[in-house]
Amino acid sequence: MVKKLVFAPIFLIVFAILISQLTPFLKSYDFVFSLSLDSLTQIITVVGLISLSGFLFVLLSTFASDWKISIPVGAAAALLPFAFINPALAIVFTVGICISTLLTFLSLNAALKSYLTFSPKAILGPAIRQLSGLLIISFCIIYFFSASKMVVEKGFQIPDSLIDSALKMTPMNLPAEEGAPSLQLPAINQEQLDFLKQNPDLLRQSGLDPKILDTLNQPKSTKSSTNPAQDLIKKTVKDQIQNIIKPYQNFIPAGLALLLFLTLQSLTSVINLLVYPLLWLTFYILEKTGFIRFEVEQRPVKKLVV
């Protein structure tokens, strides 16, 4: 019984860490568009925990070989979201985790009963990939509901980091070095500003947002950008993109969830390549320590002779 349950607490601890790492993703959608190293590290950490959780649950189910052990442990893991996320989302996530662990156990149990020669790579590998994919789908479903709530309450705003990255990759002839000829913006006095504020349609016809007028007469701060032309371009590009995506705002949560699924699934496929040598190493250590042993059987074979 100790051998059957030895991986249960390890699986629950790793799964609890996974849920805690997933929680920040439900509070913002900026990480989906972020190109920073910190965001990439966070996503890779989550992907690694997903694969490790699938690896440990499959080992537990393999050694237990009993639904009375695997199913309760899976149900205990399914209750962990209530300790980290909103109860409404936790209910959906709990159902997804229960379904994922149940389907994985059933498919793994069928494979364990029908194999001829035990091979961890051929028998356990597909079950690990299956559970990892199902967990990603379950999380993307609750992320869709979370993103829908954020878009309804706060609207959707293109992250500034994405605009900055796009502008950096776009060649622009804007002076940046000291001593270079500076870009001269047209001088606008207060009377012209008042006239444009009273007639915002003139700016809209030129493809500009009237809100730009509020930034023209503001004093420069020490923290502001040293290139006002680039700030103006950034704001104009952002406003134009916002106007383009505004009619499709209802589809944004589904697009974010799909983008998150493709990101996690792609990285998980790469991480799962490390599962096969990990399986070989695990069973090699368990066999050498006497935790498990293998038996070679000879069975009669019936052949047709004419």
Side-chain angles (χ1 to χ4, degrees):
M1 184 58 66
V2 173
K3 292 182 178 181
K4 292 183 177 181
L5 295 174
V6 67
F7 287 100
I10 304 176
F11 164 70
L12 293 175
I13 292 173
V14 172
F15 199 78
I17 298 175
L18 170 62
I19 301 299
S20 66
Q21 293 296 315
L22 289 174
T23 302
F25 290 0
L26 300 176
K27 300 177 181 179
S28 174
Y29 49 75
D30 292 347
F31 74 94
V32 178
F33 304 99
S34 179
L35 302 176
S36 65
L37 182 60
D38 293 339
S39 298
L40 180 60
T41 302
Q42 187 179 11
I43 293 177
I44 292 178
T45 301
V46 168
V47 168
L49 290 171
I50 291 175
S51 298
L52 184 58
S53 298
F55 174 80
L56 292 172
F57 182 79
V58 168
L59 284 183
L60 168 69
S61 301
T62 300
F63 295 137
S65 299
D66 189 355
W67 67 269
K68 295 180 181 179
I69 296 178
S70 300
I71 300 303
V73 172
L79 296 176
L80 292 175
F82 286 97
F84 298 96
I85 64 178
N86 182 279
L89 296 177
I91 294 175
V92 180
F93 204 10
T94 295
V95 174
I97 295 172
C98 287
I99 295 175
S100 301
T101 53
L102 177 61
L103 292 178
T104 302
F105 171 77
L106 293 176
S107 62
L108 178 62
N109 191 48
L112 290 174
K113 291 181 178 180
S114 59
Y115 75 87
L116 294 178
T117 300
F118 183 80
S119 173
K121 177 180 178 180
I123 299 174
L124 308 187
I128 296 174
R129 295 198 306 270
Q130 178 185 3
L131 182 56
S132 300
L134 291 174
L135 290 177
I136 291 175
I137 293 175
S138 301
F139 176 69
C140 289
I141 290 175
I142 67 168
Y143 180 78
F144 166 75
F145 291 116
S146 178
S148 299
K149 184 178 179 181
M150 287 188 289
V151 171
V152 170
E153 294 180 351
K154 304 178 182 178
F156 178 76
Q157 295 290 331
I158 295 293
D160 292 337
S161 59
L162 183 62
I163 302 295
D164 293 336
S165 301
L167 292 178
K168 288 179 181 178
M169 293 184 292
T170 303
M172 293 185 297
N173 297 323
L174 296 177
E177 299 181 357
E178 185 178 357
S182 61
L183 181 64
Q184 298 294 332
L185 297 177
I188 302 178
N189 56 35
Q190 188 62 36
E191 295 181 357
Q192 293 173 329
L193 285 175
D194 295 337
F195 175 76
L196 291 175
K197 289 181 179 180
Q198 295 174 1
N199 300 272
D201 293 336
L202 296 177
L203 290 174
R204 294 192 180 97
Q205 292 175 0
S206 302
L208 298 176
D209 192 337
K211 294 180 181 179
I212 296 178
L213 299 176
D214 298 333
T215 63
L216 294 179
N217 55 357
Q218 291 180 352
K220 296 181 180 180
S221 61
T222 57
K223 295 182 180 180
S224 62
S225 174
T226 58
N227 197 333
Q230 188 171 5
D231 291 342
L232 183 61
I233 292 175
K234 175 182 174 181
K235 184 171 179 57
T236 303
V237 171
K238 184 175 181 179
D239 291 338
Q240 290 179 346
I241 295 177
Q242 290 291 145
N243 293 331
I244 292 174
I245 65 177
K246 189 174 182 180
Y248 309 98
Q249 190 164 330
N250 294 333
F251 302 98
I252 289 177
L256 292 174
L258 179 60
L259 183 60
L260 177 62
F261 171 78
L262 294 177
T263 302
L264 295 179
Q265 187 64 33
S266 300
L267 292 176
T268 303
S269 300
V270 177
I271 296 294
N272 279 341
L273 295 177
L274 302 176
V275 168
Y276 298 111
L278 182 60
L279 281 172
W280 176 85
L281 180 62
T282 300
F283 278 88
Y284 177 80
I285 295 175
L286 294 178
E287 183 181 11
K288 293 301 181 180
T289 57
F291 187 88
I292 60 174
R293 61 188 178 87
F294 295 97
E295 294 181 354
V296 179
E297 297 181 355
Q298 294 181 352
R299 300 180 182 181
V301 178
K302 183 179 180 179
K303 295 185 176 180
L304 173 64
V305 178
V306 178

